[in-house]
Amino acid sequence: MTRPFVLLFKEPIVLCLSMYTAIVYGTLYLFFTAFPIVFQTTRGWSSGVGGLAFLGVGLGMLIGTALAPVNNKIYLRATRKSPTGRAPPEARLPMAMLGGALLPSAIFWFAFTSTPSVHWIVPILAGVPFGCGMLLVFSSIINYLIDCYLMYAASALAANTVLRSLLGAVFPLFSTYMYQNLGNAWASALVAFLSLACAPMPFLFYRYGAKIRARSKFSPNMPPAPPAPVAATASTSTENASKVAQPDSDSALEPEYAADAGLEEEQARQAELAKRKAGDQIV
């Protein structure tokens, strides 16, 4: 029960990346309050029409999901290049770098286009890079934590979930007052600055993550991959080749010799039966 909190407060990787995902998660829940303010209160949309503003975020998440094969190719390339046959955990972070660049850009875009003088499609389109970046950051960081801590991955994810859920619950509590006091533009810009401050984290852990993991007692050193059984494979192939090269004795017989052998066996069998009958008659 205590290990998630130990990881959260003693492991820099868990603490920093959990804080990052918590801010992104809190921003998502803050938008559930900000979008009605921007599109319904400011622009006068109805509740039903105002809900359509989230289509941009949904489209961005679909694009982020479609980028999963690209992420897999990057990871497989790192696996092939690794001398141990296993990709380092940092190979999970390139997509988080992309997502980290998309998130503040999208929130700044939304912040300064949320006024009624700007066409309504412009702030809605800002949701596309936000949804894509959010999905990329989440998926990359979760996979990175799993690869870093292996048998302690459940505790690392629990710590991440606790902090993320906490900020997701807190952000909507003050979002209405923040937008009323700061205005639509600067209230959103404040969240964008938070996201911008967290954006370098994937880059830093990509560069220094291996050194940080080496000092951790919870991040096990991955053993090298076992070598391929070359000798066993060679001996097996030699045995198979010898079996192929040496035909079976029965199949190697010529047809006429095989027929003669069968005839001799039949004659011997009949002679044995005749002897048994003769013995029975004598008895």
Side-chain angles (χ1 to χ4, degrees), residues 50-98:
L52 297 176
F54 289 99
L55 288 176
V57 179
L59 178 60
M61 296 182 73
L62 290 176
I63 295 174
T65 305
L67 291 176
V70 179
N71 191 19
N72 293 337
K73 288 182 179 179
I74 295 174
Y75 187 77
L76 290 176
R77 189 181 301 117
T79 302
R80 296 189 190 100
K81 291 181 179 179
S82 175
T84 63
R86 293 183 176 91
E90 286 71 27
R92 300 287 190 181
L93 292 177
M95 282 300 176
M97 300 177 191
L98 175 60

Side-chain angles (χ1 to χ4, degrees), residues 273-283:
L273 291 175
K275 289 180 181 180
R276 290 181 180 178
K277 289 181 179 179
D280 293 339
Q281 290 176 359
I282 293 173
V283 174

Side-chain angles (χ1 to χ4, degrees), residues 255-273:
E256 58 269 22
Y257 294 114
D260 293 340
L263 181 60
E264 291 176 358
E265 291 178 0
E266 182 64 24
Q267 290 176 353
R269 191 181 305 109
Q270 291 179 0
E272 182 67 21
L273 291 175

Side-chain angles (χ1 to χ4, degrees), residues 48 58 88 98 118 144 199-200 205 255 259:
L98 175 60
V118 181
Y144 180 62
F205 286 117

Side-chain angles (χ1 to χ4, degrees), residues 160-227:
N160 181 276
T161 303
V162 168
L163 192 59
R164 188 178 71 218
S165 301
L166 182 63
L167 265 67
V170 169
F171 268 45
L173 298 179
F174 60 80
S175 57
T176 302
Y177 302 102
M178 185 174 69
Y179 273 82
Q180 289 176 353
N181 295 326
L182 297 179
N184 295 346
W186 286 107
S188 300
L190 179 61
V191 182
F193 282 118
L194 289 176
S195 180
L196 182 62
C198 296
M201 289 184 185
F203 294 89
L204 293 175
F205 286 117
Y206 186 82
R207 178 66 178 84
Y208 301 105
K211 295 180 180 179
I212 297 173
R213 288 187 291 106
R215 299 177 182 178
S216 172
K217 65 178 182 179
F218 293 102
S219 180
N221 294 323
M222 298 179 65

